[in-house]
Amino acid sequence: MERTAETYVNRNEEDEMEISGYSPCCWKLVLVLLGTICSGGFLLLFLYWLPELSVKWTCRAVPLRDARVVLLQTTDEFQTWSWVRVRSLFAPGSQPLGFPQLSESKRPLCQASQLEDWEGQEGLLSQLASGELAEIRFFVHHHMRYLWSAESQSFQRLTALDLGLPCASLHTLHGAGLPRSTQDYRRLFYGANQIDVQVPSVPKLLIKEVLNPFYIFQVFSMVLWSLDDYYLYASAILFMSLVSISCSLYTLRKQYILLHDMVAAHNIIRVTVYRGPHETEEIFSTELVPGDVLLVPPGGLMLPCDAVLLNGTAIVNESMLTGESVPVTKTALPKTTQSANGLLRDPVYSPEEHKRHTLFCGTCVIQTRYYSGEAVRALVIRTGFSSSKGQLVCSILFPKPTDFRLYRDACRFLLCLVGVAGLGMLYSVIRSIQQGERVGRIILESLDILTITVPPALPAAMTAGVVYAQRRLRGKQIFSISPQRINICGQLNLMCFDKTGTLTEDGLDLWGFVQAQNGSFLPVGQDVRAPGLSGSPLVAAMASCHSLTTIGGRLSGDPLDLKMFEATGWVLEEPTQEETALHDQIQPTVVHPPDQTPPEIPEGASEDEELMELMKLYQIGILMQFPFSSSLQRMSVVTRTLGEKKLVAYMKGAPETVGSLCRKETVPDNFSVVLESYAQQGLRVIALASRRLENKHTWHKVQHVSRDIIECHMEFLGLVMLQNKLKAETVPVLAELRRACIRPVMVTGDNLLTAVSVGRECGIIPAKGKVILTEALPPRDGQPATINWQYADELPAAEVMEKASKEEIKLMLDEEEPPPATRQNIADTSYHFAIGGKSFAVILDHFPDLLSKLLLCGTVYARMAPDQKTQLIEALQQMDYYVGMCGDGANDCGALKRAHAGISLSELEASVASPFTSKTPNISCVPDLIREGRAALVTSFCVFKFMALYSIIQYLSVLLLYSIMSNLGDVQYLFIDVAIILSLAFTMSLNSAWPELVPQRPPTGLVSPQLLLSVLTQILLSMGFQVGAFLLVQGQPWYRHKEDWHCGLVANLTLDSNSTPPRNVTAGLDPEEEGDDATSVRSFENTTLFYVSCFQYVAVALAFAKGRPFRQPTHTNGLFLASLVAISSFLLLLLLWPIPALDEFLELDCIPYEWRLILLVLTLSNLLLSLSLENFVCDCDILWQRVCYTQRKYEHPNQAPYPQLQLDEMAPGYSCRLHPRPQAKYKRLAQELLFDPDWPPQPKTSTKAQLPPAESTA
């Protein structure tokens, strides 16, 4: 049955959830209570772990309108369940953004006509009678409130002034502020304006941690061991558990404190709000609600909420959110204006679209520009956890589960171990019944097998590798707010890079400029300060069209603006606070040429003469700024030159954008050719334009005019070329990634040809790679959308190239090496698609069938808006790529958070812009992170395999001893689990990462033939040696049963008068004679299996401690080697030079020296076989290649025609003949391209989108 929209909240959003209503059911509650009592509380724990069942077993399903409890399930791939209670509040109104029903004297501070419009448009006014309180039903999930809507019969997220409101209404309806009564009313709905990260108390954290299934299982195990008289071992495990819990509590509490301190700076401050047009009041920031008008002081403040500027300008540092430390200029939100086509234009406000007018919570306002009688005001639009900072904090508090095969496979493997334990329990029960054991003893022994098979220390041991890797990353100035992603970094096979500030230097050098005059370009110039250019419009545009400001006596702003302004040598002067207070009109920022001295005015000159002399100065005042927008790819200013009446607008931006907004007669005919020639040199090209405004555009009117009216009919001035040099680390790091078969991709907002040129220069595009420029045009005039394919370079004949490229793909996918003669005829080339942001949008909408093919070969993505970068990351992930993203954080926040591993190059130690933050300002952090991720991932595999073998080895020992009604002793368990297992498991994780990135990648999960073979061979080997030793000891001539054995008949070379007589009490026991002791420990079988199993733990630890190619060799891990040597030496001492006191303590029997030597031979043989099988069978590439798998090898990486084949398939990976079809989508697509005759597209061809059936038949 199709689900209805009412069953969802946050429909079609990232956090979409399915919602169901429930109400408590008495008879279900009674049954659960009885079950809890009968199960000793375990049922309650079970329901605590499974929230879905806890609701369904205690409540009955009801419509949402009657629900007292709601059950929520995320609709993503994780299907996470949670439940919350529905609560109620009573308020004198039902609309959060409305007004309480009050007396006329307390009505809101706006006109009645405005209220009518507001009510008609948005339905915000309460219709309740005076004094009547409405019941508002709501629930809170992840700090977000959801209110019941009677109209839609569903719960809807509480929104504020950030959605669906026209910009004009924010000025007219909300610009005067709120009375105290309305503020108190709205606070009932929105709560306190506080991102309150509660630091849980230690008891609360302790209870939550102890209720973890892992610790519950440990408590169960310790109780069981105590009942079985293993007090010493149970006490040791209890001590280690307490240490583990204490460490976890300390780490969790420290993280909460760090997060609390990070947001506490702006949680409670004093702010000034407006209570009318002129009346103000100072309140605490926690009292703010959406609709309050905030006064932003000249000295700045830390923003406690999201607010939109209503007037004035502000310089803001947004590094806490974006990681970008360059101050940003914020301007006032424009009002409704007349657009260029004469129609009334009132855009809907959006914080993302209008971010240049929005002050975000957590950012710091450095300074503001204010004017006489009109302070800088900002309208509060979002508060608390609904603000941008609050949403980021929520993403840290409630991260999405990590979808990684290792963890899924680990859970499945544990279930398999539980199944194995079940078989052992069944065998133990049958054997015990045959021996006549008591029922209590049978239960204890069978449950004991379960605690042996599922090692309690497994989770802690597996996280050790991640903890060590995080510590090493911190030493390399790489910090993480999401440590669980370190393992995923080891699987990255595609890395996206921003260009400016990431691959290239932040600073730009002016390379040259070309002026346009009378529709043609003049010769290239180098010196902007040449005498003949001082008054040219091009220099005036370079000096005035920017968003620079003076902070602390120094110019600050965008590096490009700063470099262009410094190249002119002009001077920027900003009015002081005293100057702005003396004038009613706006005091502009003034720029003028250097060394301009005021003229000498003769004494006695009149005011007119003095004014005329001052007019001779050449000064430009900047009256209005339209800040740079990455989506519009341009910025502009409105200026006035001293002595002139008309205003002049200057614009700069992307050449394609600026050229399209200029009059055609002013744009040179060879514009595209000249632009392409400079872009191909890797230069960053900026176009400049100007326009003398009509007389109707006065000083005051331009303050509220739309930028669309100004930015049209411009006069093209010319091009400015800046050189953006590569960082020194870029080329070697990208070469290292390519050698490691990690595909690099460039995602930038710069010009397409500039990006292609930089891509060639840095090596993202190989020297002989062919670039296909992809231009997608939207539908127009009844014609379908079209893609034009243009090759950036000359190519060989189409017939030869097509044949060669297809042959090359075939060779890379074949299972055998091609003969040398064939390889000589292969075209040494590869194909790389370069796509612009507009084309990418068209392809997403109209060419979904081609999207995956383009992503498979796409290498350069230019002119990409921030949201398009996020869409690109998502599309690549859908093709089964493990995607990393590295950027400076300014416009990449969405992509950085969406990628599997996002790395922000920032000076901040803890930025919420991305999971990883590197204080090293270059991409050298990328290989470091991947290396540590691979090392942590391989460590997790090694530790898991070791812990699994430890469980199986001990399981086999116990089952063999159960067959003779014996068991391991208390001290023996303690020695094995603490002295051997824990010391080896935690020290084998200390291997640091291998310094070189290799083409191979670690496996993503445990379900791979090599890993399974490794585990199975070691299990069979351990079983064979244990069973062999067990049967061999029983066949020795000195072995006797209890009733036939006498101490003097035993030929024991180590026996002396002081040693304890050996006993073998393994058969013929009378349970009643044993009493409560039930089973004796000391026996020849116990001693033999103890020695064999202990040496097996050492053997598998050494075999599984992998070194190269992902970790440093084992001999570099000093602590692990010390543990191996210490344990082995102690075991050899016990075996060859027995000490009676130690034998007594460990409950070991005295055995003949000949048998000790035989055990030494057996253990050495086991060690040699374990190492041989692991290194020469399971890890032998040549053997796997010849027997079952084929290895793909290439002589030169550039021979592959497509980058995904050139890098990924070039790696020494394996493809089983039984399953030739790869699992990853991008690999399957690469195989399908072999048989596609139309791919790659031919040069100078076009592809049209398929029309929908309705259009095609029309």
Side-chain angles (χ1 to χ4, degrees):
M1 186 178 72
E2 185 179 357
R3 294 170 176 166
T4 60
E6 286 77 18
T7 60
Y8 292 88
V9 291
N10 307 330
R11 187 68 167 169
N12 297 325
E13 297 181 24
E14 182 183 357
D15 53 350
E16 181 185 78
M17 295 178 291
E18 186 177 359
I19 183 172
S20 306
Y22 289 86
S23 182
C25 179
C26 295
W27 66 268
K28 288 186 177 181
L29 288 170
V30 171
L31 289 180
V32 169
L33 179 62
L34 292 175
T36 302
I37 297 173
C38 295
S39 64
F42 180 75
L43 178 60
L44 212 56
L45 276 174
F46 182 74
L47 296 180
Y48 172 78
W49 296 331
L50 298 174
E52 176 193 8
L53 294 182
S54 69
V55 172
K56 292 183 177 180
W57 287 9
T58 58
C59 303
R60 56 186 177 86
V62 296
L64 281 177
R65 62 176 176 273
D66 303 322
R68 307 311 303 171
V69 175
V70 291
L71 184 63
L72 302 168
Q73 182 188 21
T74 60
T75 57
D76 55 17
E77 65 272 23
F78 304 106
Q79 303 285 305
T80 306
W81 293 90
S82 58
W83 66 271
V84 290
R85 297 184 184 277
V86 178
R87 294 186 280 177
S88 297
L89 65 85
F90 294 89
S94 60
Q95 297 295 338
L97 291 174
F99 300 95
Q101 190 70 27
L102 300 171
S103 61
E104 290 298 325
S105 62
K106 297 183 179 180
R107 293 291 287 174
L109 303 175
C110 47
Q111 300 298 324
S113 60
Q114 293 176 343
L115 286 178
E116 292 173 4
D117 295 338
W118 192 1
E119 179 183 0
Q121 291 179 7
E122 305 170 24
L124 296 177
L125 287 180
S126 173
Q127 301 298 319
L128 300 176
S130 178
E132 183 180 350
L133 296 179
E135 180 185 6
I136 310 298
R137 300 174 65 246
F138 71 97
F139 68 86
V140 180
H141 179 67
H142 289 177
H143 295 301
M144 296 293 173
R145 288 196 176 194
Y146 296 82
L147 270 59
W148 175 254
S149 170
E151 291 78 11
S152 62
Q153 289 292 297
S154 63
F155 284 98
Q156 296 181 352
R157 180 187 288 169
L158 178 61
T159 58
L161 298 176
D162 56 323
L163 293 177
L165 293 177
C167 293
S169 69
L170 296 181
H171 283 276
T172 57
L173 301 180
H174 302 274
L178 298 176
R180 168 66 71 172
S181 58
T182 305
Q183 188 185 60
D184 294 338
Y185 165 76
R186 293 188 181 182
R187 201 178 305 119
L188 291 174
F189 295 89
Y190 291 97
N193 173 40
Q194 190 172 4
I195 305 175
D196 190 12
V197 179
Q198 295 284 349
V199 180
S201 62
V202 174
K204 186 175 180 180
L205 277 176
L206 179 63
I207 294 174
K208 187 176 181 180
E209 189 73 12
V210 169
L211 291 182
N212 186 292
F214 160 62
Y215 288 114
I216 294 297
F217 180 72
Q218 279 198 330
V219 171
F220 166 75
S221 301
M222 286 185 286
V223 171
L224 187 65
W225 296 329
S226 299
L227 293 176
D228 206 11
D229 297 335
Y230 289 101
Y231 300 113
L232 188 59
Y233 180 64
S235 302
I237 296 298
L238 175 62
F239 173 75
M240 288 190 296
S241 299
L242 291 176
V243 171
S244 175
I245 290 174
S246 300
C247 293
S248 298
L249 291 182
Y250 173 77
T251 304
L252 280 173
R253 189 169 171 81
K254 183 179 178 181
Q255 290 176 349
Y256 274 110
I257 291 174
L258 285 175
L259 191 59
H260 175 272
D261 293 343
M262 189 172 68
V263 300
H266 58 82
N267 257 350
I268 304 178
I269 60 175
R270 297 194 70 86
V271 295
T272 302
V273 297
Y274 281 86
R275 296 299 183 203
H278 305 290
E279 181 185 354
T280 61
E281 179 185 359
E282 190 175 83
I283 62 173
F284 284 107
S285 59
T286 53
E287 301 177 46
L288 291 173
V289 296
D292 274 326
V293 175
L294 189 68
L295 185 148
V296 186
L301 82 162
M302 184 73 77
L303 261 296
C305 58
D306 286 351
V308 59
L309 269 180
L310 296 179
N311 67 329
T313 59
I315 311 299
V316 184
N317 184 348
E318 296 186 330
S319 59
M320 192 61 198
L321 293 182
T322 66
E324 177 62 51
S325 58
V326 175
V328 180
T329 301
K330 303 283 186 175
T331 58
L333 183 73
K335 296 181 180 179
T336 306
T337 57
Q338 191 131 9
S339 60
N341 56 12
L343 299 176
L344 191 66
R345 183 173 176 270
D346 188 10
V348 174
Y349 172 74
S350 167
E352 183 60 34
E353 183 179 347
H354 297 90
K355 63 182 179 181
R356 284 292 183 176
H357 314 295
T358 305
L359 307 175
F360 293 105
C361 179
T363 60
C364 180
V365 176
I366 301 173
Q367 67 183 32
T368 62
R369 295 282 302 278
Y370 72 103
Y371 314 104
S372 178
E374 187 178 15
V376 177
R377 295 178 298 122
L379 173 66
V380 177
I381 56 171
R382 293 184 301 203
T383 59
F385 282 99
S386 296
S387 66
S388 55
K389 181 69 172 289
Q391 292 172 11
L392 289 172
V393 171
C394 282
S395 68
I396 299 174
L397 289 174
F398 310 104
K400 290 187 68 174
T402 304
D403 183 25
F404 198 45
R405 282 182 57 193
L406 171 63
Y407 305 119
R408 298 199 305 268
D409 291 347
C411 294
R412 294 167 184 166
F413 199 85
L414 285 178
L415 291 177
C416 294
L417 290 180
V418 172
V420 172
L423 296 176
M425 293 168 66
L426 182 62
Y427 168 79
S428 172
V429 170
I430 296 174
R431 183 67 178 168
S432 299
I433 292 175
Q434 290 176 349
Q435 295 291 336
E437 286 274 4
R438 291 179 289 111
V439 174
R441 189 69 199 170
I442 293 175
I443 295 175
L444 283 178
E445 288 182 348
S446 59
L447 291 177
D448 192 33
I449 291 179
L450 180 62
T451 65
I452 291 170
T453 312
V454 182
L458 178 62
M462 286 192 66
T463 57
V466 174
V467 173
Y468 296 148
Q470 186 180 15
R471 187 180 63 185
R472 292 192 294 266
L473 286 172
R474 195 178 298 116
K476 298 176 181 178
Q477 300 295 296
I478 301 174
F479 304 91
S480 173
I481 61 171
S482 183
Q484 66 270 21
R485 294 206 188 195
I486 294 178
N487 269 344
I488 302 180
C489 293
Q491 280 298 320
L492 294 181
N493 53 11
L494 188 147
M495 196 71 206
C496 296
F497 294 96
D498 184 28
K499 183 180 77 68
T500 306
T502 303
L503 298 176
T504 61
E505 297 284 356
D506 281 325
L508 299 166
D509 296 324
L510 186 67
W511 184 87
F513 63 92
V514 286
Q515 294 187 80
Q517 192 173 31
N518 299 325
S520 61
F521 283 116
L522 299 181
V524 179
Q526 302 291 336
D527 186 10
V528 183
R529 304 186 185 186
L533 295 174
S534 59
S536 69
L538 180 76
V539 175
M542 293 177 63
S544 60
C545 190
H546 53 71
S547 57
L548 299 177
T549 187
T550 304
I551 299 176
R554 297 183 59 184
L555 281 179
S556 298
D558 185 87
L560 185 143
D561 289 349
L562 197 59
K563 180 59 65 175
M564 291 180 64
F565 181 77
E566 289 175 346
T568 65
W570 284 37
V571 179
L572 181 141
E573 296 179 355
E574 287 185 318
T576 62
Q577 295 182 9
E578 292 78 11
E579 290 174 335
T580 56
L582 292 174
H583 299 82
D584 292 333
Q585 291 184 335
I586 300 170
Q587 297 303 300
T589 298
V590 175
V591 293
H592 61 79
D595 303 327
Q596 185 170 260
T597 58
E600 295 183 2
I601 302 174
E603 295 183 4
S606 64
E607 292 184 1
D608 292 337
E609 292 175 342
E610 183 178 347
L611 185 60
M612 291 299 294
E613 289 295 328
L614 289 175
M615 287 295 183
K616 295 178 181 179
L617 295 175
Y618 183 38
Q619 293 184 345
I620 299 177
I622 304 173
L623 309 182
M624 182 64 183
Q625 287 183 4
F626 297 104
F628 176 78
S629 168
S630 56
S631 58
L632 298 178
Q633 299 177 348
R634 65 180 185 268
M635 76 160 294
S636 59
V637 294
V638 178
T639 68
R640 182 174 182 179
T641 304
L642 184 64
E644 294 185 5
K645 292 184 178 181
K646 287 191 176 183
L647 306 182
V648 180
Y650 293 104
M651 178 173 63
K652 75 176 179 184
E656 305 92 336
T657 303
V658 173
S660 65
L661 296 173
C662 293
R663 301 196 308 274
K664 290 185 178 181
E665 63 271 15
T666 66
V667 180
D669 295 335
N670 60 341
F671 170 81
S672 299
V673 177
V674 173
L675 172 61
E676 183 176 340
S677 66
Y678 291 125
Q680 286 181 342
Q681 299 178 44
L683 299 174
R684 185 165 186 181
V685 185
I686 303 296
L688 298 171
S690 68
R691 174 189 169 192
R692 296 182 67 85
L693 301 181
E694 296 80 2
N695 291 331
K696 64 179 181 180
H697 294 298
T698 62
W699 186 315
H700 290 284
K701 287 184 178 179
V702 295
Q703 301 301 317
H704 306 289
V705 75
S706 168
R707 69 186 301 167
D708 292 340
I709 296 178
I710 302 296
E711 297 173 341
C712 62
H713 308 301
M714 308 287 285
E715 179 182 353
F716 187 76
L717 297 179
L719 301 174
V720 176
M721 289 75 72
L722 299 106
Q723 192 173 20
N724 200 193
K725 296 180 181 178
L726 290 175
K727 293 182 178 179
E729 300 80 5
T730 296
V731 174
V733 167
L734 291 176
E736 184 180 9
L737 293 179
R738 289 180 62 82
R739 287 194 300 270
C741 301
I742 297 171
R743 177 182 160 197
V745 171
M746 183 190 297
V747 187
T748 178
D750 207 345
N751 176 274
L752 182 62
L753 294 176
T754 302
V756 170
S757 176
V758 173
R760 286 196 183 281
E761 184 181 357
C762 67
I764 285 183
I765 301 173
K768 298 183 180 180
K770 302 300 179 183
V771 178
I772 304 176
L773 303 179
T774 305
E775 182 188 18
L777 303 175
R780 186 178 301 171
D781 301 329
Q783 296 296 320
T786 306
I787 298 181
N788 297 321
W789 312 101
Q790 180 182 356
Y791 282 45
D793 306 290
E794 290 293 328
L795 291 175
E799 299 80 7
V800 177
M801 182 55 58
E802 181 180 2
K803 179 179 179 181
S805 62
K806 293 297 181 180
E807 181 66 19
E808 175 62 16
I809 304 177
K810 182 177 185 299
L811 291 174
M812 284 184 290
L813 294 177
D814 277 347
E815 295 181 346
E816 297 181 359
E817 287 290 316
T822 307
R823 199 167 283 278
Q824 292 177 358
N825 297 327
I826 295 173
D828 191 15
T829 186
S830 59
Y831 288 87
H832 303 265
F833 287 90
I835 306 171
K838 293 181 179 179
S839 297
F840 183 75
V842 173
I843 292 169
L844 280 179
D845 294 336
H846 302 283
F847 296 91
D849 54 329
L850 284 179
L851 177 63
S852 57
K853 293 182 181 180
L854 292 172
L855 294 176
L856 194 68
C857 309
T859 302
V860 174
Y861 298 86
R863 296 295 188 212
M864 297 287 281
D867 59 329
Q868 289 181 318
K869 294 182 180 181
T870 306
Q871 292 171 349
L872 174 64
I873 297 294
E874 292 175 341
L876 290 169
Q877 288 174 334
Q878 290 172 2
M879 293 181 65
D880 295 337
Y881 279 111
Y882 283 94
V883 185
M885 175 71 193
C886 183
D888 58 12
N891 293 318
D892 308 322
C893 289
L896 290 170
K897 294 180 73 67
R898 179 69 63 186
H900 289 110
I903 313 170
S904 173
L905 305 182
S906 171
E907 295 182 359
L908 295 177
E909 185 170 316
S911 171
V912 292
S914 65
F916 298 96
T917 302
S918 172
K919 296 182 75 172
T920 305
N922 55 65
I923 64 172
S924 61
C925 59
V926 174
D928 289 336
L929 183 60
I930 296 175
R931 276 192 289 265
E932 292 297 345
R934 290 183 173 186
L937 182 57
V938 171
T939 297
S940 298
F941 282 117
C942 295
V943 171
F944 188 88
K945 289 162 60 178
F946 173 68
M947 296 299 288
L949 260 295
Y950 144 66
S951 300
I952 295 298
I953 290 171
Q954 196 170 80
Y955 168 78
L956 293 172
S957 301
V958 171
L959 278 188
L960 289 172
L961 291 176
Y962 274 8
S963 67
I964 57 171
M965 307 309 298
S966 182
N967 200 349
L968 293 173
D970 189 4
V971 180
Q972 291 175 348
Y973 274 123
L974 186 63
F975 174 76
I976 291 172
D977 285 17
V978 177
I980 299 180
I981 302 304
L982 288 185
S983 61
L984 293 180
F986 284 99
T987 56
M988 74 188 302
S989 304
L990 288 170
N991 291 46
S992 55
W994 182 247
E996 180 185 355
L997 276 180
V998 296
Q1000 299 98 317
R1001 280 187 296 276
T1004 56
L1006 293 168
V1007 185
S1008 68
Q1010 282 176 284
L1011 287 175
L1012 291 178
L1013 182 66
S1014 172
V1015 172
L1016 289 176
T1017 51
Q1018 296 296 333
I1019 290 175
L1020 294 176
L1021 195 63
S1022 301
M1023 181 189 301
F1025 275 92
Q1026 284 202 40
V1027 173
F1030 182 80
L1031 297 177
L1032 199 58
V1033 71
Q1034 292 181 340
Q1036 294 301 306
W1038 42 265
Y1039 179 89
R1040 298 287 185 274
H1041 290 285
K1042 183 180 179 181
E1043 58 271 17
D1044 300 330
W1045 178 82
H1046 300 284
C1047 186
L1049 297 178
V1050 178
N1052 189 349
L1053 298 180
T1054 66
L1055 189 62
D1056 59 26
S1057 59
N1058 296 323
S1059 62
T1060 304
R1063 297 175 294 135
N1064 189 5
V1065 290
T1066 60
L1069 293 180
D1070 186 355
E1072 295 182 0
E1073 293 179 6
E1074 287 294 313
D1076 293 337
D1077 293 334
T1079 302
S1080 180
V1081 170
R1082 300 184 61 169
S1083 65
F1084 292 139
E1085 291 90 347
N1086 173 285
T1087 303
T1088 298
L1089 291 179
F1090 174 80
Y1091 282 123
V1092 172
S1093 62
C1094 285
F1095 279 106
Q1096 284 180 340
Y1097 299 134
V1098 176
V1100 295
L1102 191 58
F1104 289 156
K1106 303 291 184 185
R1108 291 181 293 181
F1110 304 116
R1111 303 198 308 166
Q1112 293 278 10
T1114 303
H1115 64 78
T1116 63
N1117 188 344
L1119 286 177
F1120 180 62
L1121 283 182
S1123 300
L1124 285 175
V1125 171
I1127 294 169
S1128 302
S1129 302
F1130 182 75
L1131 289 175
L1132 287 174
L1133 176 68
L1134 282 179
L1135 180 63
L1136 300 180
W1137 293 276
I1139 301 173
L1142 284 177
D1143 285 351
E1144 183 68 26
F1145 180 69
L1146 290 170
E1147 300 179 87
L1148 298 176
D1149 239 344
C1150 219
I1151 54 176
Y1153 201 77
E1154 293 90 340
W1155 183 241
R1156 295 177 184 272
L1157 295 177
I1158 293 174
L1159 288 180
L1160 179 61
V1161 172
L1162 286 175
T1163 53
L1164 289 176
S1165 302
N1166 191 351
L1167 174 63
L1168 290 175
L1169 282 174
S1170 293
L1171 295 176
S1172 300
L1173 285 173
E1174 188 68 21
N1175 294 311
F1176 300 114
V1177 176
C1178 299
D1179 282 349
C1180 182
D1181 290 345
I1182 299 176
L1183 183 64
W1184 282 87
Q1185 179 186 353
R1186 292 182 178 178
V1187 175
C1188 178
Y1189 292 81
T1190 60
Q1191 188 175 26
R1192 309 175 182 95
K1193 296 180 180 178
Y1194 307 103
E1195 297 175 359
H1196 195 281
N1198 289 343
Q1199 290 175 341
Y1202 302 127
Q1204 82 291 341
L1205 293 175
Q1206 168 191 340
L1207 292 177
D1208 192 73
E1209 302 302 329
M1210 171 189 82
Y1214 299 99
S1215 168
C1216 185
R1217 291 176 178 171
L1218 298 177
H1219 305 284
R1221 187 174 177 82
Q1223 293 183 352
K1225 293 179 182 178
Y1226 71 91
K1227 290 184 179 181
R1228 293 201 300 267
L1229 181 61
Q1231 284 190 343
E1232 294 171 3
L1233 286 180
L1234 290 172
F1235 311 102
D1236 189 345
D1238 299 324
W1239 198 261
Q1242 296 302 309
K1244 298 181 180 179
T1245 60
S1246 299
T1247 302
K1248 295 186 180 296
Q1250 295 182 355
L1251 289 172
E1255 297 183 19
S1256 59
T1257 56

